[in-house]
Amino acid sequence: MIKINNFLTSLQGCNSMQKLKRIHAQIFVNGCHSDPSIVEKLLNFCSVSVSGNLSYARILFSQIENPRISAWNSIIRGSSQSPYPLEAILLYNRMIQDSHCHPDNYTFSFLLKACFKAKADKKCREAHGSIIRLGYLSDASVSTNLVRCYGGSGLVETAKKLFDEMHEKDLVAWNSMLSCYSQVGLHTEAMEIYGRMRTSNVEPDEFTVVSLLSSCAHLGALRFGIEMHKFAEDNGFIGNVFVGNALIDMYAKCGDLERARQVFSSMKKKDLSTWNSIIVGLGVHGCGAEAIWFFRQMLGLGVRPNAITFIGLLSGCSHQGLVNDGIAYFHMMRSEFWLNPSIKHLGCMVDLFGRAGKFEDAFQFIENTEARDDPVLWRTLLSACRIHRNVVMGEVAMRNLVRLSSQNAGDCVLMSGIYADTGDRQGVSRMRKLIRYQGIKTNPGWSWIEIDGIVHKFVVDDKSHTDIKEIHCKLKEVVHKSRLAGYVEEMSSSIGFQSTEESSEAWIGNSNNYHSEKLAIAFGLTRTPPGTTLRIVKNLRVCRDCHQLTKFISKAFNREIVVRDRVRFHHFNGGVCSCRDFW
């Protein structure tokens, strides 16, 4: 008994796999290897404390003749934390079928973690039923893992119902619900959960901050993001590399590159994601040369790039017209870093050639790639044709999309815009019929603007906003002043479509003035003092008329206006746009 106690004490201080194996050898030599408490302690430390050496844990577990629940929990826990979470589910099934043990609250917590990692929503629902039957739903850890598991499977309503029914909600529970909303794109709801969390006197941690910054990035909620930045500083979270990366991403996606650069420069610790955040951020803003500079600095420090790095680089080269640089970095991916280009990289290359007007190169690039039947490439080529009003190559791209049965309303709008620019009414009519007769579904378009920490959403011809009459009145003033400054409305919509504006609103004809970003800008002008930068987030490409009008608004009202659309950022100032009218 003394020897067993001595070994148990030794295991308490075990902090490496090498030490664990030495203790195990001594246990075996002294004939204590069959004692259940010793083996279970070894198993627990092996599967949890010592970097999760699962293979050794399996050997130890196999030596136990009739494992108790504590042993099952140890091996299930170890498997749930490993790269093979399905093994934890299989072990749980084996325990239920072949042993006398009944799962407890720890078993369910570990099982649900495995279900979350493996996206096993069916098993999660099955476990939920067992949890209710055995009376473990009131356990905070079990219910929190259920919320997390349902949230990870996209079952938001189920997760929310469970969360609301929890009697005790700790920080992990709040973070789980926050993460659930953030992961499925319900970013406004995530920010609302944060408000409830604060009123419940639960103090956020680094995980909370990272999740909220992600939501701010998607919403373009710069003011809220700045508040989270200050909170992170006040609570000592800035040294956390994940917080720093999230701040760079948030500032870049909210259109504030200067603050993104400042955060990057202030970070003492930088990982690959840090470099990717700044390079990708610069790329979508069209700062290709600067993205290349950061890339070279990264290589100089010995940081090896990954596929995401090159997406940022190629995107920046494309938007700044750096064709030769883009070609060189595309080849560098394979030749120096053995990275196989994904469809996103291939799309960047088609975009690179297309934006530069090199349509034959773009066409040959698509034809020579194994992904030639991927509609993303033809759609990218079609977008470039819209920029340069190239009817011939646009029809080639459209024919391939039809051949692949992949054409959507946005493609028809793009092709219609090309026809409209050349005065081809029959072409416009064909595109209209294609949408009607084939029942092509359209995507609703919207724009967001943050005012005083609140995100306001607008759709085309919006009448739902409480201040809509004031907004429409302001919009008339905006259009009038912009016309005096030289704005002339794009007329392509008068014969069919409004170019690339949200496709569900393509039929609005003479209602161009009520497109979602115009309403958002007008609202911003009524609610912010002169000189304030307006920041708009749009889910689809900005149309030509809205782009043209925004340039003149920036001139007539002396405002900087930053618009983030589906493709890139547009910085309007003094009547010009950073994209140089190529987007």
Side-chain angles (χ1 to χ4, degrees):
M1 186 65 184
I2 296 174
K3 285 183 179 180
I4 290 173
N5 288 336
N6 288 339
F7 285 130
L8 289 173
T9 302
S10 299
L11 285 169
Q12 291 286 358
C14 182
N15 56 10
S16 71
M17 195 65 216
Q18 187 177 9
K19 188 174 181 180
L20 182 79
K21 288 180 178 179
R22 284 202 301 268
I23 296 172
H24 190 193
Q26 291 173 9
I27 289 169
F28 197 88
V29 169
N30 284 272
C32 300
H33 57 281
S34 59
D35 186 277
S37 60
I38 287 282
V39 179
E40 287 176 12
K41 201 72 173 178
L42 279 167
L43 178 62
N44 183 60
F45 271 76
C46 184
S47 62
V48 180
S49 301
V50 191
S51 305
N53 194 306
L54 197 58
S55 58
Y56 201 74
R58 291 191 194 103
I59 294 171
L60 288 168
F61 186 76
S62 66
Q63 294 174 357
I64 307 174
E65 289 187 10
N66 295 301
R68 297 184 297 192
I69 188 62
S70 55
W72 281 106
N73 284 347
S74 290
I75 192 68
I76 291 171
R77 180 180 187 178
S79 299
S80 72
Q81 295 173 335
S82 76
Y84 316 104
L86 281 174
E87 186 172 338
I89 298 172
L90 294 173
L91 283 164
Y92 170 82
N93 292 342
R94 182 178 147 200
M95 184 190 82
I96 297 298
Q97 293 168 4
D98 301 338
S99 80
H100 62 281
C101 294
H102 297 290
D104 59 14
N105 55 330
Y106 295 107
T107 318
F108 285 122
S109 291
F110 304 146
L111 172 66
L112 290 169
K113 286 178 181 177
C115 291
F116 173 78
K117 286 183 70 175
K119 304 295 181 187
D121 55 310
K122 185 178 179 181
K123 190 65 181 179
C124 176
R125 288 193 292 270
E126 179 188 310
H128 189 178
S130 299
I131 288 164
I132 293 172
R133 285 194 302 275
L134 294 172
Y136 289 116
L137 193 59
S138 59
D139 184 277
S141 177
V142 172
S143 53
T144 296
N145 277 296
L146 263 176
V147 169
R148 186 165 175 258
C149 197
Y150 278 125
S153 300
L155 301 169
V156 181
E157 287 304 315
T158 306
K160 182 180 182 300
K161 186 175 183 295
L162 276 167
F163 178 79
D164 289 339
E165 291 173 352
M166 289 175 65
H167 296 297
E168 293 183 15
K169 299 181 181 74
D170 60 8
L171 176 59
V172 179
W174 285 101
N175 281 344
S176 295
M177 197 63 227
L178 190 67
S179 176
C180 169
Y181 278 134
S182 182
Q183 287 173 359
V184 298
L186 297 174
H187 302 293
T188 304
E189 288 80 354
M191 293 167 77
E192 289 172 355
I193 279 286
Y194 173 70
R196 286 175 55 191
M197 176 181 175
R198 297 297 285 169
T199 57
S200 299
N201 296 318
V202 178
E203 195 67 19
D205 63 359
E206 292 99 323
F207 186 89
T208 320
V209 172
V210 170
S211 292
L212 283 167
L213 288 172
S214 173
S215 291
C216 291
H218 284 88
L219 290 172
L222 179 62
R223 179 171 171 176
F224 194 95
I226 292 172
E227 289 177 6
M228 292 310 303
H229 188 175
K230 186 177 186 307
F231 176 86
E233 285 180 332
D234 293 343
N235 289 273
F237 299 156
I238 292 299
N240 184 300
V241 69
F242 298 107
V243 172
N245 294 347
L247 280 168
I248 295 170
D249 183 64
M250 182 274 294
Y251 280 127
K253 287 180 178 174
C254 288
D256 195 334
L257 271 181
E258 186 53 40
R259 279 196 173 100
R261 295 186 188 100
Q262 289 171 5
V263 172
F264 179 88
S265 299
S266 67
M267 288 177 66
K268 294 178 181 178
K269 270 185 167 183
K270 296 182 178 75
D271 61 8
L272 175 59
S273 293
T274 313
W275 290 96
N276 282 349
S277 295
I278 194 69
I279 290 171
V280 171
L282 290 165
V284 295
H285 280 270
C287 303
E290 192 175 356
I292 290 171
W293 185 86
F294 274 96
F295 177 71
R296 289 172 178 167
Q297 295 295 310
M298 183 184 83
L299 292 184
L301 292 170
V303 181
R304 186 180 178 85
N306 64 6
I308 297 172
T309 319
F310 284 98
I311 287 174
L313 271 178
L314 295 175
S315 176
C317 290
S318 172
H319 287 297
Q320 203 170 345
L322 304 175
V323 177
N324 291 333
D325 289 297
I327 294 170
Y329 287 121
F330 180 76
H331 290 308
M332 181 187 288
M333 280 184 67
R334 282 174 167 162
S335 62
E336 293 189 31
F337 300 103
W338 302 94
L339 295 170
N340 289 322
S342 69
I343 193 63
K344 290 184 178 180
H345 298 99
L346 300 176
C348 283
M349 290 303 293
V350 175
D351 192 56
L352 176 78
F353 291 124
R355 284 181 188 278
K358 297 179 177 292
F359 288 103
E360 190 57 38
D361 290 335
F363 178 77
Q364 289 301 325
F365 181 87
I366 296 173
E367 286 292 301
N368 292 333
T369 181
E370 292 180 0
R372 67 181 65 89
D373 284 340
D374 194 304
V376 169
L377 302 185
W378 295 109
R379 188 165 291 124
T380 303
L381 179 61
L382 181 61
S383 296
C385 293
R386 178 67 179 96
I387 295 171
H388 293 279
R389 304 178 183 185
N390 188 318
V391 177
V392 174
M393 193 60 76
E395 288 179 335
V396 170
M398 194 67 193
R399 279 198 300 271
N400 277 281
L401 287 168
V402 172
R403 173 179 64 84
L404 297 168
S405 300
S406 298
Q407 76 278 10
N408 58 36
D411 302 328
C412 297
V413 172
L414 283 168
M415 194 66 229
S416 174
I418 299 172
Y419 285 135
D421 286 339
T422 57
D424 186 347
R425 293 174 180 269
Q426 290 184 346
V428 172
S429 179
R430 285 198 302 274
M431 291 301 103
R432 292 172 70 92
K433 288 177 182 177
L434 189 59
I435 284 187
R436 283 199 187 103
Y437 296 156
Q438 294 196 11
I440 299 173
K441 293 183 178 180
T442 59
N443 295 320
W446 45 254
S447 294
W448 281 328
I449 183 169
E450 181 196 35
I451 304 292
D452 295 330
I454 300 172
V455 176
H456 297 261
K457 182 176 180 179
F458 294 90
V459 295
V460 70
D461 204 17
D462 202 331
K463 295 181 177 65
S464 62
H465 199 281
T466 54
D467 301 314
I468 198 63
K469 289 184 179 179
E470 181 186 3
I471 294 168
H472 282 180
C473 183
K474 185 65 177 180
L475 189 53
K476 288 179 182 177
E477 178 197 341
V478 166
V479 173
H480 176 68
K481 286 189 175 181
S482 297
R483 281 173 178 158
L484 292 177
Y487 162 66
V488 177
E489 184 178 359
E490 282 274 335
M491 299 306 293
S492 61
S493 61
S494 64
I495 62 169
F497 288 108
Q498 178 55 29
S499 70
T500 55
E501 168 61 18
E502 46 257 40
S503 54
S504 64
E505 295 134 20
W507 312 96
I508 61 179
N510 59 8
S511 299
N512 297 346
N513 285 343
Y514 298 107
H515 283 181
S516 59
E517 60 263 58
K518 292 177 182 175
L519 294 169
I521 291 170
F523 180 66
L525 290 172
T526 66
R527 291 292 181 272
T528 58
T532 305
T533 299
L534 300 182
R535 301 177 190 277
I536 314 293
V537 175
K538 183 174 177 61
N539 68 325
L540 299 174
R541 289 166 63 99
V542 63
C543 76
R544 281 182 178 272
D545 184 62
C546 289
H547 191 272
Q548 186 76 351
L549 177 61
T550 308
K551 287 197 298 183
F552 282 98
I553 294 173
S554 72
K555 181 179 179 181
F557 289 84
N558 194 26
R559 294 283 194 115
E560 180 183 5
I561 304 173
V562 180
V563 178
R564 185 180 98 200
D565 73 5
R566 184 174 58 82
V567 177
R568 61 161 294 156
F569 276 86
H570 303 263
H571 292 257
F572 299 91
N573 209 340
V576 296
C577 179
S578 60
C579 76
R580 296 174 296 170
D581 297 341
F582 285 90
W583 76 98

